């Protein structure tokens, strides 16, 4: 916490009418003059009016990105200079840590203690990690068998990259997209989610302050069907990186077809979390709580399908039910809050609809299954919900709910649970709780998922690749794996004869 600066507050940023978008180094209103409201989900009240980008603004931003990519300072910077700019962004994030944490919590609803301990520090860390990569984008010399040829490869940036991000981790998602793209020398048009545009725009101010040339980073808040769709289809965009629903991910792929832009996708999940009887049960139960209730369950890797061995099923269910009943629900900005509101009225309706479907299909909540009342009825709060008596083929056991709702199911055998865990269109994450080394390796090999956690959950690090199998996506983010997504390989043949 030593780096946390407390002097700046979000009030100056929020006082702007409207909060503008960043195009070509200028903070501007939408060409149409339209704005939209961003809401505080803890209260349902309007936080700020934000300029609303549409196709015309996207056009201007893509043109600015193209100019900055082809001419001016950016293509002339040395890798070391690019790295320093990214490092400077990390420093500025730390200097404004408390302001960013408050802004994130106000706009998204997440508990402030997590914005402070997780979202903001990991965002800074992401920029710092990729600052280091700017100087390490090496090609190779290739020992071809054609006489007298000297053959080598270069790793070059893609060009203008469109990036579309969701509302569950607004700052972190911005950093996962921006940092590697910039380290590799691309220029960017970033569209934050309409539910949570604020921290990406504040980050844009810090990026300008760090000294990036105009047009390298453009940030355009707006709706998916207008701004997002225009960016995804734009003929001047060379690559799209998207995080969000599998449904929209498929639309992005269709929209990319006309100019064959490159696409990477981080999509949904229905991640299995498996507790074997030899696990440290108390630890596993706490882990299963974190797996589903962190960020109100609005996490692509949420451990939303919990399999507990039949010999420990009752104790897992009762242990989790007791802990869930004690969780402190409240406004995100209250430092004692453990579970905040969902991000929007729409997300609240979606989650409550799944809860109703679950009950109708015959599953029973041991706790929760309803909205919070009293003072919290103003916001989008849902009580932590644990479903018992669930069958694999029920809707709530198959579809991504993206809320504080877990289904718990018993199993008997290793092979059986591995097969059931893999019975999903998704393959983002999975976890196993056991102290048996043979089961660990068997399950790591058997689970069809981009990440497998053992005796832990929701671990992320800028150095560790992350992405999905099956309909959870294309490509990997983080680590050196993501460099493939933001560079293209050029092969040079030099005739030495
Ligand atoms: P979404 O996929 O509609 O939104 C994500 C981003 O895509 C936002 O920036 C949005 O403006 C943009 N977008 C929407 N339609 C678009 C289009 N036609 N073209 C281009 N961009 C478009 O997700 P939404 O509606 O907010 O949430 C629905 C469900 O999606 C959630 O309940 C959850 O299951 C899943 N989801 C998964 C996320 C993840 O991290 N994998 C994040 C957010 C949502
Ligand atoms: Mg909001």
């Amino acid at each position: 916490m030593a780096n946390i600066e407390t002097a700046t507050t979000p009030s100056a940023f929020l006082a702007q009418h409207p909060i503008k978008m960043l195009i070509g180094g200028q903070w501007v209103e939408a060409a149409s003059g339209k704005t939209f409201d961003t809401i505080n989900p803890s209260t349902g009240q309007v936080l700020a009016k934000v300029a609303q980008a549409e196709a015309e603004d996207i056009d201007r931003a893509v043109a600015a990105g193209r100019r900055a990519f082809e001419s001016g300072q950016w293509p002339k910077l040395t890798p070391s200079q690019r790295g320093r700019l990214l490092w400077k962004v990390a420093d500025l994030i730390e200097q404004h840590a408390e302001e960013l944490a408050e802004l994130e919590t106000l706009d998204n609803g997440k508990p402030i203690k997590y914005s402070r301990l997780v979202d903001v520090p990991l965002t800074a860390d992401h920029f710092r990690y990729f600052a280091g990569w700017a100087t390490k984008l090496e090609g190779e010399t290739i020992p071809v068998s054609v006489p007298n040829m000297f053959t080598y490869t270069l790793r070059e940036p893609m060009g203008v990259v469109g990036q579309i991000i969701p509302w569950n981790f607004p700052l972190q998602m911005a950093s996962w997209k921006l940092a590697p793209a910039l380290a590799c020398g691309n220029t960017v048009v970033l569209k934050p989610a309409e539910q949570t545009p604020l921290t990406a725009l504040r980050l844009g101010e810090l990026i300008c302050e760090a000294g990036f040339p105009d047009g390298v980073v453009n940030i355009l808040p707006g709706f998916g069907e207008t701004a997002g769709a225009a960016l995804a289809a734009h003929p001047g965009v060379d690559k799209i990186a998207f995080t969000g629903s599998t449904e929209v991910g498929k639309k992005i792929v269709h929209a990319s077809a006309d100019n064959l832009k490159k696409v990477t996708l981080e999509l949904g999940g229905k991640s299995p979390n498996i507790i074997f009887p030899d696990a440290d049960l108390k630890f596993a139960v706490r882990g299963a709580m974190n797996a589903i209730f962190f960020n109100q369950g609005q996490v692509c890797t949420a451990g939303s399908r919990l399999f507990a061995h039949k010999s420990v099923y009752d104790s897992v269910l009762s242990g989790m039910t007791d802990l869930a009943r004690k969780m402190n629900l409240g406004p995100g900005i209250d430092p004692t809050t453990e579970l905040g509101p969902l991000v929007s009225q729409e997300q609240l309706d979606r989650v409550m609809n799944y809860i109703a479907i679950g009950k109708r299909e015959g599953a029973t909540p041991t706790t929760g299954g309803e909205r919070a009342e009293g003072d919290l009825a103003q916001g989008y709060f849902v009580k932590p919900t644990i479903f018992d008596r669930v069958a694999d083929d029920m809707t709530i056991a198959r579809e991504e709910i993206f809320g504080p709702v877990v289904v718990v199911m018993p199993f008997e055998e290793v092979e059986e649970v591995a097969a059931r865990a893999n019975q999903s269109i998704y393959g983002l994450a999975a976890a196993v709780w056991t102290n048996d080394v043979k089961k660990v390796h068997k399950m790591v090999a058997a689970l069809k998922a981009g990440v497998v956690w053992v005796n832990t959950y929701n671990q992320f690090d800028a150095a560790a690749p992350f992405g999905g199998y099956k309909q959870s996506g294309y490509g990997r983010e983080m680590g050196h794996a993501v460099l493939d997504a933001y560079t293209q390989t050029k092969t040079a043949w030099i005739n030495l004869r």
Side-chain angles (χ1 to χ4, degrees):
M1 300 286 279
N3 284 324
I4 290 198
E5 161 81 53
T6 48
T8 49
T9 70
S11 51
F13 184 73
L14 289 173
Q16 303 174 77
H17 295 292
I19 295 175
K20 298 190 175 98
M21 61 182 94
L22 176 61
I23 300 179
Q26 305 295 313
W27 290 94
V28 297
E29 295 199 21
S32 66
K34 285 188 201 167
T35 62
F36 66 101
D37 293 337
T38 190
I39 306 288
N40 177 346
S42 296
T43 62
Q45 304 287 309
V46 176
L47 264 173
K49 282 201 183 304
V50 180
Q52 185 186 329
E54 291 180 333
E56 192 179 340
D57 307 291
I58 295 287
D59 274 345
R60 282 158 55 211
V62 172
R66 178 62 56 196
R67 268 194 309 278
F69 183 73
E70 304 289 352
S71 58
Q73 283 306 304
W74 182 244
K76 294 191 199 116
L77 291 186
T78 64
S80 168
Q81 286 169 324
R82 269 203 329 270
R84 276 164 191 264
L85 286 174
L86 287 162
W87 192 273
K88 184 79 200 285
V89 173
D91 286 346
L92 287 167
I93 290 167
E94 282 174 349
Q95 283 164 29
H96 295 275
E98 179 60 17
E99 178 193 354
L100 288 166
E102 285 179 24
L103 210 50
E104 192 78 323
T105 283
L106 288 171
D107 211 11
N108 167 280
K110 62 178 67 199
I112 186 73
K113 72 170 170 187
Y114 296 119
S115 296
R116 286 177 180 146
L117 285 171
V118 179
D119 296 79
V120 173
L122 289 187
T123 300
D125 203 44
H126 217 80
F127 279 96
R128 218 163 251 134
Y129 174 82
F130 282 100
W133 271 113
T135 48
K136 296 163 194 71
L137 301 169
E138 297 171 349
E140 294 173 312
T141 54
I142 315 291
V144 295
S145 300
V146 184
N148 299 312
M149 292 291 163
F150 173 49
T151 305
Y152 63 91
T153 61
L154 296 171
R155 299 195 81 154
E156 297 190 333
M158 296 275 182
V160 181
V161 177
Q163 305 187 317
I164 300 173
I165 57 173
W167 42 261
N168 51 346
F169 295 93
L171 259 181
Q172 285 197 76
M173 291 300 111
S175 72
W176 288 19
K177 296 285 180 280
L178 290 168
L182 297 170
C184 294
N186 299 281
T187 61
V188 175
V189 179
L190 175 77
K191 194 202 80 66
E194 55 270 38
Q195 296 84 354
T196 56
L198 298 179
T199 46
L201 292 165
R202 184 69 185 102
L203 178 63
E205 293 184 346
L206 299 178
I207 285 170
C208 293
E209 191 178 332
F212 278 84
D214 291 351
V216 173
V217 176
N218 305 277
I219 303 182
L220 283 80
F223 291 91
E225 298 71 19
T226 49
L231 188 57
H234 204 290
V237 170
D238 300 298
K239 183 226 155 71
I240 287 276
F242 172 79
T243 298
S245 61
T246 292
E247 184 193 348
V248 173
K250 291 177 185 178
K251 291 187 188 170
I252 302 278
V253 172
H254 284 288
S256 72
D258 272 345
N259 74 333
L260 291 176
K261 55 175 71 70
K262 313 294 182 276
V263 177
T264 45
L265 304 170
E266 297 286 351
L267 307 176
K270 188 75 183 178
S271 299
N273 188 16
I274 304 166
I275 302 180
F276 285 100
D278 60 88
D280 173 344
L281 215 55
K282 211 172 154 191
F283 184 61
V285 163
R286 289 201 172 273
M289 293 291 290
N290 159 53
I292 186 62
F293 297 125
F294 176 61
N295 215 44
Q296 297 64 248
Q298 302 167 134
V299 184
C300 49
T301 55
S304 53
R305 275 194 298 155
L306 180 61
F307 293 95
H309 188 267
K310 78 168 196 209
S311 65
V312 296
Y313 182 83
D314 289 340
S315 16
V316 167
L317 197 64
S318 63
M320 287 183 72
T321 302
D322 288 347
L323 289 173
R325 287 189 181 134
K326 289 186 202 138
M327 278 187 95
N328 199 359
L329 267 69
I333 208 72
D334 178 338
T336 64
T337 292
E338 293 166 327
L339 196 83
L342 297 178
V343 75
S344 63
Q345 179 70 47
E346 189 187 2
Q347 198 60 20
L348 172 69
D349 294 343
R350 188 178 282 140
V351 170
M352 290 311 297
N353 185 44
Y354 273 117
I355 289 174
I357 292 172
K359 290 176 181 168
R360 214 180 309 134
E361 289 184 346
T364 323
T366 62
T367 185
E370 58 192 8
R371 295 183 60 172
E373 3 12 67
D375 289 350
L376 299 183
Q378 311 292 330
Y380 313 129
F381 293 88
V382 173
K383 291 186 184 170
T385 299
I386 300 172
F387 269 109
D388 183 18
R389 299 176 183 278
V390 180
D392 289 5
D393 60 356
M394 286 182 184
T395 308
I396 54 168
R398 288 185 293 108
E399 296 186 12
E400 182 174 56
I401 298 176
F402 229 62
V405 182
V406 62
V407 300
V408 193
M409 295 175 286
F411 72 92
E412 292 185 37
E413 304 294 337
V414 177
E415 290 73 17
E416 169 216 332
V417 76
R420 288 169 65 196
N422 287 334
Q423 235 169 62
S424 172
I425 61 163
Y426 297 114
L428 194 56
V432 178
W433 301 80
T434 175
N435 286 311
D436 173 350
V437 72
K438 289 188 200 154
K439 268 194 213 114
V440 168
H441 291 291
K442 217 174 193 169
M443 291 302 289
V444 169
L447 290 166
K448 296 190 193 326
V451 56
V452 180
W453 289 299
V454 178
N455 297 328
T456 187
Y457 209 96
N458 276 339
Q459 297 291 346
F460 289 90
D461 187 283
F466 175 73
Y469 280 30
K470 299 191 263 183
Q471 292 190 37
S472 292
Y474 293 170
R476 293 291 175 270
E477 297 191 285
M478 301 195 258
H480 58 77
V482 73
L483 304 175
D484 291 338
Y486 289 107
T487 57
Q488 45 199 348
T489 299
K490 177 180 282 174
T491 306
W493 293 74
I494 318 291
N495 188 347
L496 298 179
R497 187 153 51 159

